[in-house]
């Protein structure tokens, strides 16, 4: 991969987004599976507006994508145009136990 000034700027902005603990935790959760906001809120024990703001930033940064199903929005990782993230995400701790310990919310 040859780095150009544009790609350096893009990588820098992406890494800034991921430097936030909550956003990086959301990414670790989404690495395991697609999730709705209500489940992320419950697992991270925070508020829906807080998680929504973080997801909005991750979406605008091209790291996550959303899919609407009925009235619910599901989020998943979107790394197709960011191959440099694969190696970083491979080093994130597994969130499987947290997800499995969580009782799915009735909203989804």
């Amino acid at each position: 991969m040859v780095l150009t000034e544009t790609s350096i700027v893009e990588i820098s902005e992406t890494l800034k987004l991921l430097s936030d603990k909550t956003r990086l935790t959301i990414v670790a959760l989404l690495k395991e599976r697609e999730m709705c906001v209500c489940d992320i809120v419950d697992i991270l024990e925070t508020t829906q507006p807080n998680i929504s703001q973080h997801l909005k930033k991750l979406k605008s940064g091209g790291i996550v994508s959303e899919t609407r199903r009925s009235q619910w929005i599901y989020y998943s990782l979107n790394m197709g145009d960011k191959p440099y993230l694969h190696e970083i995400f491979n080093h994130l701790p597994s969130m499987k136990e947290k997800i499995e310990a969580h009782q799915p919310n009735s909203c989804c």
Side-chain angles (χ1 to χ4, degrees):
M1 175 179 178
V2 177
L3 296 179
T4 64
E5 187 61 35
T6 304
S7 63
I8 294 282
V9 171
E10 177 188 336
I11 292 170
S12 172
E13 291 303 314
T14 300
L15 293 176
K16 283 180 193 175
L17 275 173
L18 295 174
S19 69
D20 180 88
K21 178 185 169 196
T22 301
R23 286 193 289 273
L24 194 56
T25 305
I26 291 169
V27 166
L29 288 168
L30 296 177
K31 180 182 148 196
E32 302 296 339
R33 68 174 176 89
E34 176 182 71
M35 300 184 85
C36 67
V37 174
C38 57
D39 286 331
I40 296 170
V41 166
D42 288 346
I43 290 169
L44 298 185
E45 299 177 344
T46 189
T47 65
Q48 184 272 328
N50 180 32
I51 295 302
S52 291
Q53 284 300 313
H54 285 296
L55 286 167
K56 180 180 177 182
K57 289 177 182 179
L58 290 168
K59 183 182 172 202
S60 68
I63 298 171
V64 301
S65 57
E66 63 181 32
T67 305
R68 181 172 290 277
R69 292 189 198 131
S70 183
Q71 64 199 46
W72 309 116
I73 298 176
Y74 289 81
Y75 292 88
S76 59
L77 289 181
N78 177 29
M79 302 184 306
D81 64 339
K82 294 174 179 32
Y84 54 90
L85 290 180
H86 291 278
E87 189 64 31
I88 294 169
F89 291 178
N90 284 337
H91 291 280
L92 290 174
S94 173
M95 300 298 276
K96 285 182 182 179
E97 285 185 23
K98 276 193 176 252
I99 292 171
E100 289 170 0
H102 168 68
Q103 295 299 317
N105 201 312
S106 61
C107 73
C108 302

